Amino acid sequence: MTAQVDYLVVVFTATSGASGELLGSDEKDLVQLVWQLVNVNTKTLGRVNEILIRPDLSDSTEEKSDEDVVVECKEEDESSSGADCMYTAASLDSGLNMFNLQLTNEVNSAGAGTSLCLCTDGQLHIRQVIHPEAASKNIPVPDCFYSFFDLRKEFKNHFATSDLKALNAHVMAESLSLPVDVSSMWDPSANQDPLSVLPAEVAVQQVRLMTSIILSLLSEPYCNSFSNPERVNERFESGTCSKMEKVCDNTVIRARGLPWQSSDQDIARFFKGLNIAKGGAALCLNAQGRRNGEALVRFVSEEHRDLALQRHKHHMGNRYIEVYKATGEDFLKIAGGTSNEVAMFLSREDQIIVRMRGLPFNATHDDVLRFFSPEDGSKETCPISGGKDGILFVRYPDGRPTGDAFVLFACEEHAQCALRKHKELLGKRYIELFKSTAAEVQQVLNRYSSAPLIPVAPAPLVSVLPAVSLLPPPGGVRDCLRLRGLPYTASIEDILSFLGEFTQDVRQHGVHMVLNQQGRPSGDCFIQMTSAERALQASQRLHKHVMSSQRGANSRYVEVFPCSTDEMGLVLMGGSLSHTHTHAHTRSRSGTGLSPPPCLSPPSYSFTPVQQILPTDAAAAAAAAAAALYPPMGQMLLAPRPLHPGHPYYPASAQLYMNYSAYYPSPPGSPTTLGFFPAHSSMSSPGGLVRMPGLPYNGSGVKELINAVQGYQYAPEDALIHAHGAVHAHDPARTLLTQPKEWVCI
């Protein structure tokens, strides 16, 4: 509409809630609609009409009669609100129909000219009151409500210095030097409570004041031409958005709490009255490709974005929707695309998009066409728009199918028919169907064609072990025994009784009970023998013999296998061995996997005191310390790592992180060969030193060291962290822990 209209319809609305600049923000129903006709050509006024909308509390809308609308035409002084004619409607639907009917009759009776357009004080009456309530109640709105003049913007054309947000009818009247009855006029800019309900006569007074402002703008010296009205989009237009497009940050909002089955049309209905940009409703997907209840919406201007923020916590059905500010970058991440194939697919307008999920990987275009249009004709047919061109398969960058596809339908009827095939079979798989959007198509394609938003879980330990050479060589000396299938109540004394004559061949501190992650016996045990010959003899004689437990009545046969020190160390460090291959004296790498981290053996068995085997002079001790920096795997205890117990993955790198935050294994080697040094002469009590390299610099000190040696007898005052000493150059963490010679834990 570019030519000046013949009639302006000055409209003012009031709800049962907030007024002024908060009108419509509390989602209250419309209760009053007042209007007056202005003849632009003759500059004459019509009568003031008022409709009071009183919703039917019985919610009975099945039967409607002429009694739904009551017409009362009175003289101005007889009406309580000052209106010339008053109408009472039982619902919003009947009120809007009555408004349209009475307005049409009045224009037709005037004779000359038929073009008309509404005029309001600001945007709220049309965009935040009429359209949102009608959309939520599925009520059709008369065509006249889709275009209107904003009196504030028309006024600002002649008073450019005015602040548009601070304008109202009272301010405009004062600027035009119009008489205002301050005693009876309601001033929105005054310190009045915007949450209070307006008196009935205020709406009529506002309409009369607005008509005076319009007549003044039509006259000299302004001669305003009402020719460019505001527009309200009748429907949402889908479209594509390029990643190279620039999106203003002040036009985007984020909506949260959407129902999972909502579409872009549902979002447009929620923001009815506000103009969303073409393709500006983008549903967000989670890491699994499913909708997460969020959407990014792009509006045509900052003014519409600000009005959308006022709908925070308005309802969509029985759910309230949260509305927040967002950025243009956020919108482009979701809705932006670069694929020419997608652009061609979405280039057709007025098409309904349906997403298919769970397709067989070998599904073709013909399979999809037959799915929606069966050849036997026994089921409903819903032809795909464009045939094969209306089908878009989603694939990985290497061309592999993902099981997703999008199809186009020409009308809503065909789309609804297609959605009724939800979970029907295609081949041997049932297919999930959802109504989709252009932005969702872009988002799904972007997700599969680029790097994942959430990194893939790191490779498990199995794939790491061969790379870091942690597996023991097959030809190692098998001077250890592995006992499998022990009674859960078996103690170390029961194990020694089971070994019989081979007990004398057990090394000092050579019995290692393996406990599970909960600290309970796992049924496994490792024993270090003095020689490989005695270990082989013990395995041949004791294999599958029965072991009894003194603490329980149960008894079980025990499997006994010879193994090497490295294999024992691997299990104690969190790995596992293939028992079948171990028994055959050959072990395959494929038998290595993850097992719960072991913990300390019970401190209920002790050997005789350890003999000092290292020299006592300081030089020899320092040399031994340097040699013990990097012992073989079977003779060292890896430093604990701060990972949660039972973490199933390890990083795919050369660094191996073991999960010992809760439990620690007993040392695979004898303490006499694990960095064990004689005590310095300055020590207060006899004992030895245990060197613990690799401690973290930001550790808590003595407390962590005490936890590391739990189960061993020591005096707390013997824990000493050295910051200076003779082995600085070989001790990056500069840590020595004093330890008595009597090691009582096996």
Side-chain angles (χ1 to χ4, degrees):
M1 187 182 301
T2 57
Q4 179 168 298
V5 297
D6 297 323
Y7 296 98
L8 288 177
V9 185
V10 181
V11 177
F12 189 91
T13 63
T15 67
S16 59
S19 58
E21 297 305 315
L22 297 181
L23 181 67
S25 61
D26 53 3
E27 212 176 1
K28 296 295 184 179
D29 290 344
L30 176 67
V31 296
Q32 188 180 19
L33 177 61
V34 181
W35 78 93
Q36 186 176 15
L37 194 67
V38 179
N39 190 321
V40 176
N41 298 320
T42 62
K43 299 181 181 61
T44 57
L45 303 177
R47 61 187 180 185
V48 178
N49 301 274
E50 179 182 11
I51 295 180
L52 298 180
I53 301 175
R54 299 171 182 173
D56 186 2
L57 300 179
S58 63
D59 293 331
S60 177
T61 58
E62 296 180 359
E63 296 182 359
K64 292 186 178 181
S65 63
D66 296 335
E67 297 180 356
D68 290 340
V69 178
V70 179
V71 182
E72 299 178 2
C73 292
K74 301 180 180 179
E75 297 294 334
E76 183 177 352
D77 56 352
E78 296 180 1
S79 177
S80 60
S81 63
D84 299 325
C85 283
M86 180 182 297
Y87 310 91
T88 301
S91 65
L92 177 65
D93 190 10
S94 59
L96 294 179
N97 290 334
M98 175 55 61
F99 169 83
N100 189 43
L101 178 61
Q102 295 299 325
L103 182 61
T104 303
N105 293 337
E106 187 174 0
V107 171
N108 292 336
S109 62
T114 57
S115 62
L116 60 87
C117 187
L118 304 186
C119 183
T120 60
D121 180 16
Q123 305 273 318
L124 303 182
H125 300 276
I126 302 298
R127 298 193 186 275
Q128 297 287 71
V129 177
I130 300 293
H131 283 285
E133 183 178 352
S136 64
K137 297 179 179 180
N138 293 321
I139 296 175
V141 177
D143 294 339
C144 60
F145 285 101
Y146 285 96
S147 62
F148 67 98
F149 287 100
D150 186 350
L151 186 57
R152 298 183 184 184
K153 292 184 178 180
E154 299 296 328
F155 176 84
K156 189 175 175 60
N157 291 335
H158 305 281
F159 297 85
T161 58
S162 303
D163 184 7
L164 192 63
K165 295 183 179 180
L167 285 179
N168 55 61
H170 187 83
V171 174
M172 289 186 288
E174 289 184 345
S175 300
L176 293 172
S177 301
L178 297 177
V180 178
D181 187 0
V182 180
S183 60
S184 61
M185 180 60 62
W186 174 75
D187 184 5
S189 61
N191 295 327
Q192 298 177 349
D193 185 7
L195 299 180
S196 60
V197 180
L198 286 179
E201 65 274 9
V202 170
V204 176
Q205 295 170 358
Q206 287 290 314
V207 167
R208 295 186 183 279
L209 182 60
M210 289 169 61
T211 55
S212 300
I213 296 173
I214 291 174
L215 292 177
S216 178
L217 291 177
L218 290 172
S219 304
E220 298 287 344
Y222 306 108
C223 298
N224 186 73
S225 175
F226 290 86
S227 57
N228 294 308
E230 297 281 321
R231 299 289 185 180
V232 178
N233 291 343
E234 296 186 21
R235 59 184 180 84
F236 170 73
E237 296 184 32
S238 60
T240 60
C241 177
S242 172
K243 284 187 177 294
M244 306 304 295
E245 186 176 346
K246 183 174 179 58
V247 179
C248 180
D249 292 341
N250 295 329
T251 61
V252 182
I253 61 95
R254 181 185 297 272
R256 293 180 178 175
L258 299 170
W260 67 268
Q261 71 274 23
S262 59
S263 65
D264 55 351
Q265 297 295 336
D266 297 319
I267 297 173
R269 187 179 299 109
F270 176 79
F271 290 106
K272 186 66 175 178
L274 308 179
N275 294 344
I276 300 176
K278 184 176 181 180
L283 295 168
C284 300
L285 306 181
N286 59 17
Q288 290 73 37
R290 300 177 184 273
R291 298 174 185 176
N292 61 2
E294 295 188 8
L296 290 169
V297 185
R298 177 188 177 190
F299 294 93
V300 296
S301 66
E302 181 179 359
E303 180 183 26
H304 290 244
R305 192 282 307 264
D306 293 340
L307 293 177
L309 293 175
Q310 294 185 11
R311 301 194 187 183
H312 179 59
K313 291 193 174 181
H314 283 203
H315 287 76
M316 180 185 290
N318 58 353
R319 296 174 64 99
Y320 71 86
I321 309 301
E322 300 176 359
V323 182
Y324 304 98
K325 291 182 180 180
T327 64
E329 182 180 1
D330 296 335
F331 182 81
L332 289 177
K333 286 180 180 178
I334 300 301
T338 56
S339 173
N340 292 330
E341 182 184 9
V342 177
M344 290 295 297
F345 178 78
L346 299 176
S347 61
R348 304 183 183 91
E349 296 184 357
D350 301 330
Q351 302 289 322
I352 310 299
I353 306 174
V354 172
R355 180 181 179 182
M356 305 180 68
R357 193 166 62 196
L359 288 169
F361 292 143
N362 58 351
T364 64
H365 290 80
D366 293 331
D367 296 331
V368 176
L369 291 173
R370 284 193 296 270
F371 177 78
F372 289 107
S373 298
E375 295 178 355
D376 55 6
S378 59
K379 299 180 181 179
E380 292 181 297
T381 60
C382 35
I384 297 176
S385 177
K388 293 184 179 180
D389 293 335
I391 304 173
L392 177 65
F393 286 100
V394 182
R395 301 182 184 276
Y396 290 106
D398 58 1
R400 292 181 295 113
T402 63
D404 281 26
F406 294 93
V407 293
L408 295 176
F409 294 95
C411 61
E412 185 69 27
E413 181 182 358
H414 288 171
Q416 292 299 327
C417 177
L419 293 175
R420 286 195 286 270
K421 296 180 179 292
H422 181 59
K423 291 193 174 181
E424 288 190 7
L425 294 178
L426 175 58
K428 296 183 179 180
R429 302 191 63 176
Y430 71 87
I431 309 301
E432 295 178 301
L433 300 175
F434 307 95
K435 202 171 182 180
S436 186
T437 66
E440 185 174 3
V441 176
Q442 295 280 21
Q443 192 175 173
V444 172
L445 267 295
N446 292 342
R447 183 180 301 274
Y448 284 114
S449 62
S450 60
L453 299 179
I454 299 179
V456 179
L461 179 63
V462 175
S463 62
V464 178
L465 288 175
V468 298
S469 300
L470 290 177
L471 293 178
V477 179
R478 314 182 72 80
D479 57 351
C480 299
L481 290 176
R482 183 179 188 183
L483 277 61
R484 181 170 175 265
L486 301 175
Y488 293 128
T489 57
S491 62
I492 294 183
E493 287 79 4
D494 298 329
I495 295 174
L496 296 178
S497 299
F498 175 78
L499 292 177
E501 61 178 285
F502 296 101
T503 302
Q504 59 185 355
D505 299 310
V506 178
R507 292 185 183 182
Q508 295 189 13
H509 312 296
V511 180
H512 306 280
M513 298 286 292
V514 181
L515 306 184
N516 61 19
Q517 192 171 4
Q518 288 74 36
R520 299 175 182 176
S522 64
D524 280 22
C525 173
F526 285 95
I527 301 174
Q528 291 178 282
M529 307 293 287
T530 55
S531 64
E533 291 76 10
R534 295 296 290 174
L536 179 60
Q537 293 176 11
S539 65
Q540 292 175 345
R541 188 175 302 181
L542 300 176
H543 184 59
K544 292 194 175 181
H545 281 206
V546 176
M547 176 187 293
S548 300
S549 173
Q550 299 177 359
R551 293 180 293 180
N554 59 330
S555 59
R556 300 180 63 180
Y557 76 87
V558 178
E559 297 175 320
V560 182
F561 311 102
C563 66
S564 65
T565 303
D566 290 331
E567 291 173 330
M568 177 191 68
L570 176 64
V571 175
L572 293 179
M573 290 302 144
S576 64
L577 299 174
S578 173
H579 306 298
T580 304
H581 292 169
T582 301
H583 184 55
H585 293 188
T586 59
R587 191 182 60 78
S588 171
R589 295 181 187 271
S590 62
T592 303
L594 291 175
S595 62
C599 59
L600 282 171
S601 303
S604 59
Y605 176 80
S606 62
F607 285 103
T608 56
V610 180
Q611 300 282 332
Q612 291 189 12
I613 62 174
L614 298 178
T616 57
D617 68 322
L629 277 175
Y630 304 100
M633 177 182 171
Q635 297 180 356
M636 66 178 292
L637 177 64
L638 295 181
R641 305 294 181 182
L643 291 180
H644 192 276
H647 194 281
Y649 293 107
Y650 292 87
S653 62
Q655 180 71 28
L656 180 63
Y657 294 89
M658 309 306 295
N659 44 351
Y660 293 131
S661 59
Y663 303 103
Y664 300 83
S666 52
S670 173
T672 57
T673 62
L674 188 65
F676 184 75
F677 310 104
H680 195 270
S681 58
S682 62
M683 294 292 180
S684 59
S685 60
L689 298 178
V690 174
R691 185 169 183 276
M692 303 175 66
L695 293 177
Y697 290 96
N698 57 351
S700 58
V702 176
K703 184 177 179 180
E704 288 187 358
L705 300 180
I706 292 175
N707 292 336
V709 294
Q710 56 179 324
Y712 300 103
Q713 291 183 355
Y714 64 93
E717 62 272 8
D718 287 339
L720 177 63
I721 300 178
H722 276 272
H724 303 283
V727 292
H728 284 177
H730 308 286
D731 188 10
R734 293 174 172 83
T735 304
L736 292 176
L737 176 66
T738 65
Q739 182 70 32
K741 288 174 60 178
E742 292 293 336
W743 295 69
V744 298
C745 183
I746 304 303

